[in-house]
Amino acid sequence: MRILLQAAASIDRLNERIANAVRWALLANALLITGNALSRKLFSVAWANAFDMQWHFFAAVVLLMAAYTFKRDEHVRIDIFTHRLGERGLAWLDLVGIILVLLPVCAVMVWVSWPDFFSALQHRETRSTRESTSDLPAWIIKGFIPFGFFLLGLQGIAEAVRCVASLRGIVRRPIHRRQLIEGGEHDI
């Protein structure tokens, strides 16, 4: 179990490093949106690539930071019985949810989106369509999907390991999870 917990900590560090890099995409997107708006309003100049890059930055933030959000337990959680479950009950609930929902969804999304990413990369597909003249490579945005779900699946495995360790009495649940049980009103 110690090796699995070390692997879980390595997955945490990987997702933290990626999140620290990707969060700058928020600033880049804000600057890009501002620049686009100013160039359109002041100079009547618009660039298709700039509009397309806004979606790239947004996709990077949403897809590549989902695993980090899950790690920090800041994802959407609908728990009406959490405070009644206790620490072991919450560990079981999380473990079952990870195994029955999260990991299968991540596996399917990686499996389904990988061929489109690889095809776009192989054929040097661009984002240009009838509506857009953008020549940004399509593989970039298509790559965020399998990579983001892969990272989320890895984080799910790390969380599942911690759930099992908690159920075996090896480690306690992280503070933020215990706060869910205790009502989250006070610090531990």
Side-chain angles (χ1 to χ4, degrees):
M1 185 50 88
R2 182 175 307 231
I3 292 171
L4 292 175
L5 286 169
Q6 288 172 347
S10 295
I11 292 169
D12 289 346
R13 284 190 298 276
L14 170 68
N15 282 319
E16 285 171 5
R17 285 184 185 127
I18 290 171
N20 284 333
V22 170
R23 69 182 177 176
W24 289 101
L26 289 171
L27 176 61
N29 202 25
L31 294 172
L32 184 64
I33 290 168
T34 302
N36 283 340
L38 290 174
S39 72
R40 277 191 345 264
K41 298 296 181 191
L42 298 177
F43 307 111
S44 298
V45 175
W47 293 288
N49 283 358
F51 287 117
D52 213 22
M53 289 213 25
Q54 291 176 17
W55 289 104
H56 281 70
F57 286 130
F58 183 72
V61 169
V62 171
L63 291 166
L64 300 181
M65 290 189 74
Y68 181 70
T69 303
F70 183 54
K71 175 203 171 295
R72 292 180 48 100
D73 202 33
E74 293 179 356
H75 58 289
V76 175
R77 182 186 273 278
I78 303 171
D79 289 331
I80 55 174
F81 302 112
T82 300
H83 62 282
R84 295 182 196 163
L85 293 176
E87 194 168 333
R88 288 184 59 80
L90 185 58
W92 274 112
L93 179 67
D94 286 348
L95 183 60
V96 169
I98 290 167
I99 291 171
L100 295 181
V101 179
L102 181 71
L103 292 178
V105 166
C106 289
V108 167
M109 289 304 297
V110 169
W111 183 66
V112 167
S113 62
W114 178 260
D116 284 339
F117 159 70
F118 188 72
S119 175
L121 180 63
Q122 188 177 26
H123 296 104
R124 297 186 178 139
E125 181 182 331
T126 66
R127 300 274 299 139
S128 66
T129 63
R130 286 185 305 158
E131 295 85 25
S132 173
T133 59
S134 171
D135 59 357
L136 289 176
W139 64 266
I140 296 172
I141 199 157
K142 289 184 177 185
F144 291 145
I145 299 167
F147 189 58
F149 277 100
F150 176 74
L151 292 173
L152 184 57
L154 277 180
Q155 192 63 48
I157 291 168
E159 297 302 324
V161 166
R162 280 190 271 278
C163 288
V164 171
S166 175
L167 290 169
R168 289 185 174 179
I170 297 170
V171 296
R172 288 202 66 198
R173 300 290 285 167
I175 289 174
H176 53 275
R177 298 246 171 43
R178 291 196 310 264
Q179 287 174 334
L180 284 172
I181 298 166
E182 297 169 5
E185 300 293 328
H186 50 281
D187 293 327
I188 295 178

